[in-house]
Amino acid sequence: MANVRTRFAPSPTGYMHIGNLRTALYAYLFAKAQGGDFLLRIEDTDRARYVADAVKFIQDTLAAAHIVPDEGPGVGGDCGPYVQSERMDIYKKYAEELIEKGFAYRCFCSHEDGAAKEGEKSFGGYDRHCRDLAPEEIERHLKNGDPYVIRQKMPLTGTTTFFDVVHGNISIENSELEDQVLLKRDGMPTYNFANVIDDHLMRISHVIRGTEFITSTPKHVQLYEAFGWEPPVFVHLAPVMGKNEDGSVSKLSKRHGATSFAELVDAGYLPEAITNYVALLGWSPKSDQEIFSMEEMAKVFSLEGLSKSPAVFDYAKLDWFNGEYFKAMSDEKFSAEALPFAGELTDEIKKKWPYLAAILRTRVARYGEIADMIAFFRTLPEYGVELFPNKKNKVTPELAAQILPAAKEALDAVSEWTPEAIDSALHGYIDGSGYKLGTVMWPLRIALSGQKVTPGGVTELLYLLGKEESLARIGKAVEKLA
């Protein structure tokens, strides 16, 4: 195989959708798996969609996802510039070459002049009026300085067939292909034209992109043939879908939740977990392994593992991936990275944050869950007596009213407020009372947190709240049960 060169060619719209991220990831992984090069190219010819600073946003996103271009803006390479708006002279040169070869023509029609009339044959809305203008008429227009676009002269008969790695041979009747615009009146190239020119000049061997580009590919193939160039290998990826409330699926969009890399990171997912999960949305490794480092994926990634069926983005599955990455982290790293997500903390919790973070590390699926999960440490939520009954531990409000004052007295006697001393005091009380462990711990959990589920057990809650706040909360519960 010749040197593999792939590219990611986004429009600078300031948004990296999960589908875009997957395209970049697959192009990167395939290039690395084959010992090739991965390029970043910015396709900014659609100036209406251009967003300021979007190029930096794209570069920052790729860096955060550990997708590192070998060539591109700010990186360098011998095929630059890597921003299409800086390559205008190149596109004009090749468009003029196609005119000379008879594969393109100047179209002087205004939009209205070239629109197909009722009952006329329409080719993408254009009636091909200027396709066969006499040379002297073309010269007259040029002398008058009449504005024009350059259109591709599509074959009128036959079929265009190309092979796609995922979908096999795909054919389309040439009669269905419009004489697409290659160069606009302002000299700006269209996506389809610039895409082909750049892929050839940048020696791209494999074009990996979404299925929405399948219908454009015959036009690209016709351009390659017109220039006498070898087309790259085409790989069109099945779409990423989202699950709707009724159980059906549709193309992943904002109604399904966070759909961009940045939004997922802001929600508290780790970049490594996101890229790991996204890699498996349409690609199956040959083993049952699910947790991969980027280096591991690059070693085993292959185009044969791609699926032609749409993949469904499952947030619960992403939670699982992220949780597994948390479990593999050190307490110190988790503590540092989780802190910005923790929200407002009491002075007591600030002092004991590493202790709390170590408890949270194996209990949360993403950093974004932490603030709500630990809110009760800051403010005891309103709760009622109805939380105290527990069939499993045979606790009733009446029994809780007996247990809590005695447990409070045992805890009040603790002089050094450490987890070990607290635990010793609680078990001393339990052993002397004859109650089972769960029977005592349940009402204490409710009194301390005002909720049935907490991160950590009662000993951890007591320690984190501090002695004064813990005894005060137990006292309020005693009053509530009186």
Side-chain angles (χ1 to χ4, degrees):
M1 181 184 291
N3 185 38
V4 168
R5 288 172 64 85
T6 65
R7 48 67 165 180
F8 176 53
S11 297
T13 59
Y15 182 77
M16 182 78 85
H17 188 275
I18 288 300
N20 301 134
L21 176 69
R22 187 186 62 167
T23 298
L25 180 60
Y26 284 0
Y28 172 79
L29 290 175
F30 180 64
K32 297 301 108 178
Q34 300 299 319
D37 298 316
F38 168 72
L39 286 68
L40 172 63
R41 182 174 75 227
I42 303 300
E43 299 194 338
D44 62 345
T45 56
D46 187 349
R47 304 307 290 179
R49 298 179 65 214
Y50 180 83
V51 175
D53 297 326
V55 175
K56 184 178 185 304
F57 178 86
I58 291 167
Q59 292 172 319
D60 289 347
T61 299
L62 292 178
H66 304 294
I67 300 172
V68 184
D70 297 292
E71 299 176 27
V75 180
D78 60 5
C79 295
Y82 295 91
V83 177
Q84 285 186 337
S85 59
E86 299 173 11
R87 299 170 61 83
M88 304 300 292
D89 291 344
I90 296 173
Y91 306 129
K92 181 174 177 56
K93 168 194 167 188
Y94 282 98
E96 296 285 351
E97 181 180 322
L98 284 181
I99 292 176
E100 293 174 12
K101 289 183 174 182
F103 292 108
Y105 59 94
R106 296 178 179 87
C107 173
F108 300 93
C109 296
S110 67
H111 178 72
E112 292 77 15
D113 293 340
K117 308 298 188 294
E118 186 176 351
E120 290 183 342
K121 178 70 174 176
S122 172
F123 304 92
Y126 176 62
D127 65 4
R128 290 176 169 161
H129 175 78
C130 293
R131 181 179 170 110
D132 297 306
L133 288 181
E136 55 270 21
E137 186 171 356
I138 295 173
E139 189 63 29
R140 178 176 60 80
H141 278 295
L142 292 176
K143 282 184 177 180
N144 289 340
D146 295 338
Y148 61 87
V149 300
I150 296 179
R151 289 183 179 272
Q152 184 176 359
K153 186 179 286 188
M154 290 294 186
L156 303 179
T157 60
T159 61
T160 298
T161 300
F162 66 94
F163 177 77
D164 179 86
V165 169
V166 177
H167 303 276
N169 284 323
I170 297 174
S171 298
I172 189 168
E173 295 295 322
N174 291 334
S175 59
E176 301 296 318
L177 301 176
E178 63 180 303
D179 283 7
Q180 64 176 339
V181 173
L182 304 180
L183 222 59
K184 303 173 191 175
R185 290 171 187 252
D186 60 2
M188 190 71 75
T190 58
Y191 162 80
N192 286 330
F193 184 55
N195 185 277
V196 168
I197 300 300
D198 290 343
D199 281 344
H200 173 73
L201 295 180
M202 294 180 185
R203 306 189 300 279
I204 300 302
S205 64
H206 292 72
V207 170
I208 300 175
R209 58 192 177 195
T211 51
E212 64 269 24
F213 293 103
I214 284 181
T215 54
S216 301
T217 304
K219 302 173 186 177
H220 301 169
V221 170
Q222 284 294 330
L223 282 171
Y224 282 107
E225 291 182 357
F227 282 114
W229 297 340
E230 183 73 22
V233 176
F234 295 108
V235 185
H236 290 93
L237 307 172
V240 179
M241 313 295 280
K243 190 175 292 185
N244 302 318
E245 291 183 0
D246 62 1
S248 63
V249 295
S250 57
K251 194 162 185 181
L252 187 66
S253 65
K254 286 207 175 274
R255 70 172 176 274
H256 297 115
T259 58
S260 76
F261 180 83
E263 287 172 333
L264 291 172
V265 171
D266 288 344
Y269 293 102
L270 294 168
E272 297 85 355
I274 299 170
T275 52
N276 188 164
Y277 175 58
V278 168
L280 299 175
L281 290 175
W283 168 67
S284 297
K286 294 179 180 178
S287 69
D288 293 331
Q289 182 178 346
E290 290 188 287
I291 304 298
F292 288 91
S293 67
M294 188 69 86
E295 293 74 17
E296 288 172 329
M297 284 191 286
K299 287 179 181 178
V300 299
F301 186 85
S302 68
L303 299 180
E304 291 73 25
L306 296 175
S307 171
K308 66 170 60 176
S309 300
V312 178
F313 191 91
D314 185 343
Y315 292 91
K317 187 67 173 178
L318 177 58
D319 283 348
W320 178 83
F321 270 90
N322 210 61
E324 292 300 300
Y325 273 80
F326 281 163
K327 290 172 186 175
M329 288 174 75
S330 68
D331 285 339
E332 293 75 19
K333 184 177 181 183
F334 181 89
S335 177
E337 293 189 4
L339 184 57
F341 292 86
E344 186 180 345
L345 301 178
T346 65
D347 290 341
E348 194 74 23
I349 294 298
K350 285 179 184 176
K351 289 188 295 184
K352 299 170 180 174
W353 172 250
Y355 181 89
L356 176 55
I359 294 170
L360 294 170
R361 184 172 61 81
T362 58
R363 289 172 168 82
V364 296
R366 55 186 175 86
Y367 290 132
E369 295 177 332
I370 292 175
D372 287 342
M373 188 177 287
I374 66 173
F376 72 89
F377 283 113
R378 182 173 62 252
T379 305
L380 181 66
E382 289 293 327
Y383 67 95
V385 175
E386 71 278 358
L387 287 187
F388 285 98
N390 183 286
K391 289 183 179 180
K392 179 182 177 182
N393 295 305
K394 299 180 181 178
V395 177
T396 63
E398 293 76 19
L399 183 56
Q402 295 176 29
I403 290 172
L404 289 177
K408 180 173 180 285
E409 184 178 344
L411 291 167
D412 194 17
V414 176
S415 57
E416 187 178 356
W417 199 254
T418 64
E420 295 77 17
I422 294 167
D423 202 50
S424 178
L426 286 174
H427 281 86
Y429 164 65
I430 292 168
D431 292 343
S433 68
Y435 295 124
K436 290 184 177 180
L437 179 67
T439 305
V440 173
M441 295 302 190
W442 180 260
L444 278 172
R445 184 189 301 274
I446 301 301
L448 295 168
S449 68
Q451 53 196 45
K452 294 181 177 181
V453 179
T454 58
V458 170
T459 297
E460 289 88 354
L461 299 185
L462 288 162
Y463 171 67
L464 288 163
L465 284 166
K467 184 175 182 178
E468 183 179 348
E469 180 67 15
S470 295
L471 296 180
R473 291 189 178 195
I474 295 171
K476 288 179 183 178
V478 171
E479 292 175 5
K480 195 181 293 284
L481 290 163

Short mmCIF file of all heavy atoms in Angstrom, two decimals, residues 225-248:
data_model
loop_
_atom_site.label_atom_id
_atom_site.label_comp_id
_atom_site.label_asym_id
_atom_site.label_seq_id
_atom_site.Cartn_x
_atom_site.Cartn_y
_atom_site.Cartn_z
N GLU A 225 -11.64 12.12 -13.02
CA GLU A 225 -11.48 11.59 -14.37
C GLU A 225 -11.13 12.70 -15.36
O GLU A 225 -10.31 12.52 -16.27
CB GLU A 225 -12.75 10.86 -14.80
CG GLU A 225 -12.98 9.57 -14.03
CD GLU A 225 -14.23 8.82 -14.49
OE1 GLU A 225 -14.95 9.35 -15.38
OE2 GLU A 225 -14.49 7.72 -13.96
N ALA A 226 -11.76 13.86 -15.18
CA ALA A 226 -11.50 14.97 -16.09
C ALA A 226 -10.04 15.42 -16.01
O ALA A 226 -9.42 15.77 -17.03
CB ALA A 226 -12.43 16.14 -15.76
N PHE A 227 -9.48 15.40 -14.82
CA PHE A 227 -8.09 15.80 -14.65
C PHE A 227 -7.11 14.66 -14.96
O PHE A 227 -5.90 14.89 -15.08
CB PHE A 227 -7.84 16.26 -13.21
CG PHE A 227 -8.34 17.65 -12.91
CD1 PHE A 227 -9.37 17.85 -12.01
CD2 PHE A 227 -7.77 18.75 -13.53
CE1 PHE A 227 -9.83 19.13 -11.72
CE2 PHE A 227 -8.21 20.04 -13.24
CZ PHE A 227 -9.26 20.24 -12.34
N GLY A 228 -7.64 13.44 -15.05
CA GLY A 228 -6.76 12.29 -15.26
C GLY A 228 -6.05 11.86 -13.99
O GLY A 228 -4.96 11.29 -14.04
N TRP A 229 -6.68 12.12 -12.86
CA TRP A 229 -6.09 11.79 -11.57
C TRP A 229 -6.69 10.50 -11.01
O TRP A 229 -7.86 10.18 -11.27
CB TRP A 229 -6.35 12.90 -10.55
CG TRP A 229 -5.73 14.22 -10.88
CD1 TRP A 229 -4.69 14.46 -11.73
CD2 TRP A 229 -6.14 15.51 -10.38
NE1 TRP A 229 -4.40 15.79 -11.78
CE2 TRP A 229 -5.27 16.47 -10.96
CE3 TRP A 229 -7.12 15.92 -9.49
CZ2 TRP A 229 -5.38 17.83 -10.67
CZ3 TRP A 229 -7.24 17.29 -9.21
CH2 TRP A 229 -6.37 18.23 -9.79
N GLU A 230 -5.93 9.81 -10.21
CA GLU A 230 -6.40 8.60 -9.53
C GLU A 230 -7.23 9.01 -8.32
O GLU A 230 -6.75 9.74 -7.44
CB GLU A 230 -5.21 7.76 -9.06
CG GLU A 230 -5.60 6.44 -8.41
CD GLU A 230 -6.10 5.41 -9.40
OE1 GLU A 230 -5.79 5.53 -10.60
OE2 GLU A 230 -6.82 4.50 -8.97
N PRO A 231 -8.49 8.58 -8.21
CA PRO A 231 -9.30 8.95 -7.05
C PRO A 231 -8.77 8.26 -5.79
O PRO A 231 -8.14 7.20 -5.86
CB PRO A 231 -10.70 8.42 -7.39
CG PRO A 231 -10.68 8.14 -8.86
CD PRO A 231 -9.27 7.80 -9.19
N PRO A 232 -9.02 8.84 -4.63
CA PRO A 232 -8.64 8.19 -3.38
C PRO A 232 -9.60 7.04 -3.07
O PRO A 232 -10.59 6.85 -3.78
CB PRO A 232 -8.79 9.31 -2.35
CG PRO A 232 -9.86 10.18 -2.91
CD PRO A 232 -9.68 10.13 -4.40
N VAL A 233 -9.31 6.30 -2.04
CA VAL A 233 -10.24 5.28 -1.56
C VAL A 233 -11.32 6.00 -0.75
O VAL A 233 -11.02 6.82 0.13
CB VAL A 233 -9.51 4.25 -0.66
CG1 VAL A 233 -10.50 3.25 -0.08
CG2 VAL A 233 -8.41 3.56 -1.46
N PHE A 234 -12.58 5.70 -1.04
CA PHE A 234 -13.70 6.36 -0.35
C PHE A 234 -14.23 5.49 0.79
O PHE A 234 -14.45 4.28 0.61
CB PHE A 234 -14.82 6.68 -1.33
CG PHE A 234 -14.43 7.69 -2.38
CD1 PHE A 234 -14.24 7.30 -3.70
CD2 PHE A 234 -14.25 9.02 -2.04
CE1 PHE A 234 -13.89 8.22 -4.67
CE2 PHE A 234 -13.89 9.96 -3.01
CZ PHE A 234 -13.70 9.56 -4.33
N VAL A 235 -14.44 6.12 1.92
CA VAL A 235 -14.96 5.44 3.10
C VAL A 235 -16.06 6.33 3.69
O VAL A 235 -15.77 7.36 4.30
CB VAL A 235 -13.87 5.20 4.17
CG1 VAL A 235 -14.43 4.38 5.33
CG2 VAL A 235 -12.64 4.54 3.57
N HIS A 236 -17.31 5.95 3.48
CA HIS A 236 -18.42 6.75 3.97
C HIS A 236 -19.03 6.08 5.22
O HIS A 236 -19.51 4.96 5.16
CB HIS A 236 -19.48 6.94 2.89
CG HIS A 236 -19.02 7.85 1.79
ND1 HIS A 236 -18.42 7.39 0.63
CD2 HIS A 236 -19.03 9.20 1.68
CE1 HIS A 236 -18.11 8.42 -0.15
NE2 HIS A 236 -18.47 9.53 0.47
N LEU A 237 -18.98 6.81 6.31
CA LEU A 237 -19.38 6.27 7.61
C LEU A 237 -20.88 6.39 7.83
O LEU A 237 -21.48 7.43 7.55
CB LEU A 237 -18.64 7.03 8.73
CG LEU A 237 -17.11 7.10 8.61
CD1 LEU A 237 -16.55 8.04 9.67
CD2 LEU A 237 -16.51 5.70 8.74
N ALA A 238 -21.46 5.32 8.38
CA ALA A 238 -22.89 5.35 8.73
C ALA A 238 -23.11 6.42 9.79
O ALA A 238 -22.23 6.72 10.59
CB ALA A 238 -23.33 3.99 9.24
N PRO A 239 -24.30 7.02 9.83
CA PRO A 239 -24.54 8.12 10.78
C PRO A 239 -24.61 7.66 12.23
O PRO A 239 -24.80 6.48 12.52
CB PRO A 239 -25.89 8.68 10.32
CG PRO A 239 -26.57 7.54 9.63
CD PRO A 239 -25.46 6.77 8.97
N VAL A 240 -24.43 8.63 13.12
CA VAL A 240 -24.62 8.40 14.56
C VAL A 240 -26.03 8.85 14.91
O VAL A 240 -26.42 9.98 14.61
CB VAL A 240 -23.60 9.18 15.40
CG1 VAL A 240 -23.83 8.93 16.88
CG2 VAL A 240 -22.18 8.77 15.01
N MET A 241 -26.80 7.97 15.52
CA MET A 241 -28.20 8.25 15.85
C MET A 241 -28.37 8.48 17.34
O MET A 241 -27.53 8.10 18.16
CB MET A 241 -29.08 7.07 15.40
CG MET A 241 -28.81 6.57 14.01
SD MET A 241 -29.18 7.79 12.71
CE MET A 241 -30.97 7.59 12.62
N GLY A 242 -29.48 9.11 17.68
CA GLY A 242 -29.85 9.30 19.07
C GLY A 242 -31.16 8.61 19.36
O GLY A 242 -31.99 8.44 18.45
N LYS A 243 -31.36 8.17 20.59
CA LYS A 243 -32.58 7.46 20.95
C LYS A 243 -33.63 8.46 21.42
O LYS A 243 -33.38 9.30 22.28
CB LYS A 243 -32.28 6.45 22.06
CG LYS A 243 -33.45 5.49 22.34
CD LYS A 243 -33.06 4.43 23.37
CE LYS A 243 -32.02 3.48 22.81
NZ LYS A 243 -31.72 2.37 23.75
N ASN A 244 -34.83 8.37 20.82
CA ASN A 244 -35.93 9.25 21.18
C ASN A 244 -36.69 8.71 22.38
O ASN A 244 -36.53 7.55 22.77
CB ASN A 244 -36.88 9.43 19.99
CG ASN A 244 -36.16 9.99 18.77
OD1 ASN A 244 -35.35 10.90 18.89
ND2 ASN A 244 -36.47 9.44 17.61
N GLU A 245 -37.54 9.55 22.96
CA GLU A 245 -38.29 9.15 24.16
C GLU A 245 -39.20 7.95 23.89
O GLU A 245 -39.46 7.14 24.79
CB GLU A 245 -39.12 10.33 24.66
CG GLU A 245 -38.28 11.46 25.26
CD GLU A 245 -39.13 12.58 25.81
OE1 GLU A 245 -40.38 12.47 25.73
OE2 GLU A 245 -38.56 13.57 26.33
N ASP A 246 -39.69 7.82 22.65
CA ASP A 246 -40.59 6.71 22.34
C ASP A 246 -39.84 5.43 21.95
O ASP A 246 -40.46 4.44 21.56
CB ASP A 246 -41.56 7.10 21.23
CG ASP A 246 -40.86 7.43 19.92
OD1 ASP A 246 -39.61 7.33 19.87
OD2 ASP A 246 -41.54 7.80 18.94
N GLY A 247 -38.51 5.46 22.07
CA GLY A 247 -37.72 4.27 21.75
C GLY A 247 -37.21 4.24 20.33
O GLY A 247 -36.34 3.42 20.02
N SER A 248 -37.74 5.09 19.46
CA SER A 248 -37.25 5.15 18.09
C SER A 248 -35.92 5.90 18.05
O SER A 248 -35.49 6.48 19.05
CB SER A 248 -38.27 5.85 17.19
OG SER A 248 -38.45 7.20 17.62
#
